[in-house]
């Protein structure tokens, strides 16, 4: 389990807030830390019939199925393809296959050594993902991809040692109906752990292969600066109206809910419309609607005015920087 970075003392936090206020001359209140997301709430002992919120089935075969021994769908043998990372509003970064279907892990399996304990009816409801053609897309460490030989001799994909599955009740790309089923099935994060928003702080730093160290939000999405904005003597956003539809403003983030980002000038300010927006070194920050998954940097250099943000708030790759 990761060690939390939210351990600063109250005295340090107060001093930090005072310093930030002096730096930007803006609001002296940071957003309250959000409550921990209760991802994958467990079911009562023996209750494996709830395949997700808003869905109800009978106890079935004990793995979230409806009890009908139907043949596996085509997705059961579909190749994994190029794995991708999708941003889910409730779970954060979620691993998906080449078709955008969510991949899951099973608590009764083991990762060291890798072993699958899902067979028979279980494997019909939770089709094992073949290892044959799986490749790592953006934001996925290919070294974490492996395989395990199942009892029937087939090769199943593993992520960080954990056997990977699809869920028969996920029909469309982005579905996460298997999350929390029976308290034992969970969407996979790109590192093989259980997907959860707590995997990333509100703001953190990611090393991009082309841009170097850049700031990302809690979903791993790239954060940008607008060169027409202002930081001194106070933070001012010049992105309004339709601009905000393409470049959504990043909401307030508690200073303690960050990692690797310069603390000075790290604070929210109030926009003219009354909405609070986060800043890095007093510069307003945004995400880009054209970025569809963590690791995307499609907003970099757009119009010669939009650039990814470095940990100290500078625009990465901007002329003169």
């Amino acid at each position: 389990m990761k060690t939390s970075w939210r351990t600063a003392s109250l005295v340090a936090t107060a001093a930090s807030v005072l310093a930030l206020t002096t730096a930007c001359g803006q609001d002296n209140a940071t957003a309250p830390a959000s409550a921990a997301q209760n991802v994958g709430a467990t079911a009562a002992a023996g209750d494996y019939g709830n395949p997700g919120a808003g869905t109800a089935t009978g106890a079935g075969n004990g793995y979230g199925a409806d009890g009908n021994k139907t043949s596996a769908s085509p997705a059961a043998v579909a190749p994994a393809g190029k794995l991708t990372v999708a941003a889910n509003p409730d779970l954060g970064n979620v691993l998906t296959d080449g078709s955008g279907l969510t991949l899951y892990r099973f608590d009764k399996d083991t990762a060291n050594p890798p072993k699958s304990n899902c067979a028979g009816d279980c494997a019909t409801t939770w089709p094992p993902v073949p290892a044959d053609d799986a490749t790592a897309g953006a934001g996925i460490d290919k070294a974490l991809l492996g395989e395990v030989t199942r009892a029937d001799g087939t090769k199943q994909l593993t992520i960080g040692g954990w056997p990977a599955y699809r869920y028969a009740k996920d029909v469309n790309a982005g579905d996460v109906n298997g999350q929390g089923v029976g308290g034992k099935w969970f969407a996979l994060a790109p590192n093989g752990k259980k997907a959860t928003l707590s995997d990333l702080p509100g703001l953190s730093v990611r090393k991009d292969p082309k841009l170097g160290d850049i700031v990302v939000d809690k979903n791993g999405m790239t954060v940008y600066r607008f060169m027409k904005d202002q930081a001194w003597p106070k933070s001012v956003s010049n992105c309004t109206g339709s601009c905000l539809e393409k470049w959504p403003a990043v909401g307030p983030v508690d200073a303690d809910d960050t990692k690797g980002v310069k603390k000075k000038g790290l604070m929210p300010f109030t926009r003219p419309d009354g909405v609070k927006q986060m800043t890095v070194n007093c510069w307003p920050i945004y995400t880009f609607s054209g970025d569809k998954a963590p690791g995307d940097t499609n907003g970099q250099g757009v119009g010669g005015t939009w650039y990814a943000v470095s940990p100290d708030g500078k625009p990465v790759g901007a002329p003169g920087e």
Side-chain angles (χ1 to χ4, degrees):
M1 182 173 293
K2 295 183 179 178
T3 301
S4 173
W5 50 82
R6 302 171 187 169
T7 58
S9 68
L10 292 175
V11 174
T13 301
S16 174
V17 171
L18 179 60
L20 300 182
T21 305
T22 304
C24 298
Q26 292 292 301
D27 303 348
N28 61 2
T30 55
S34 59
Q37 175 75 27
N38 181 16
V39 178
T42 58
D47 180 11
Y48 298 98
N50 181 5
T55 314
T57 62
N61 58 23
Y63 294 97
D66 56 11
N68 296 324
K69 294 185 179 180
T70 55
S71 59
S73 66
V77 294
K82 187 175 183 179
L83 305 182
T84 58
V85 181
N88 181 279
D90 297 318
L91 301 175
N93 295 334
V94 173
L95 193 63
T96 63
D97 67 10
S99 299
L101 292 175
T102 301
L103 302 187
Y104 297 88
R105 50 176 276 183
F106 184 31
D107 275 0
K108 289 188 177 180
D109 288 348
T110 59
N112 188 21
K115 181 181 179 181
S116 169
N117 288 304
C118 177
D121 288 346
C122 174
T124 298
T125 303
W126 302 90
V129 179
D132 301 341
D133 75 333
T135 57
I140 303 169
D141 184 354
K142 64 180 181 181
L144 294 178
L145 274 60
E147 63 181 38
V148 62
T149 302
R150 296 176 54 80
D152 60 5
T154 59
K155 303 290 186 181
Q156 181 176 0
L157 174 68
T158 61
I159 308 296
W162 287 97
Y165 306 82
R166 300 182 179 96
Y167 184 42
K169 292 182 180 291
D170 283 351
V171 178
N172 302 309
D175 285 350
V176 287
N177 298 314
Q179 176 66 15
V181 169
K184 297 185 182 300
W185 290 92
F186 300 93
L188 272 163
N191 59 3
K193 296 182 182 297
K194 299 174 184 178
T196 170
L197 283 177
S198 62
D199 281 347
L200 286 177
L203 292 175
S204 59
V205 177
R206 179 180 70 83
K207 185 173 289 294
D208 184 86
K210 294 182 179 179
L211 303 177
D213 288 342
I214 59 175
V215 179
V216 297
D217 70 4
K218 66 181 180 181
N219 294 316
M221 304 302 290
T222 302
V223 166
Y224 298 90
R225 253 187 60 180
F226 186 32
M227 299 301 284
K228 294 183 179 181
D229 283 350
Q230 174 182 304
W232 309 97
K234 65 178 182 178
S235 304
V236 176
S237 168
N238 286 304
C239 178
T240 59
S242 59
C243 175
L244 281 177
E245 296 179 7
K246 293 182 177 180
W247 303 90
V250 175
V253 175
D254 190 279
D256 288 338
D257 189 21
T258 65
K259 185 177 182 181
V261 184
K262 184 178 180 180
K263 288 290 194 281
K264 182 180 179 181
L266 182 64
M267 63 179 299
F269 74 102
T270 303
R271 298 174 53 85
D273 56 9
V275 175
K276 288 185 179 295
Q277 180 176 1
M278 194 62 187
T279 71
V280 174
N281 197 21
C282 298
W283 288 99
I285 56 174
Y286 312 78
T287 53
F288 180 43
S289 62
D291 287 345
K292 302 304 181 183
D296 286 352
T297 55
N298 299 316
Q300 177 66 8
V302 169
T305 55
W306 290 93
Y307 295 92
V309 179
S310 69
D312 60 1
K314 294 182 179 179
V316 177
E321 294 292 334

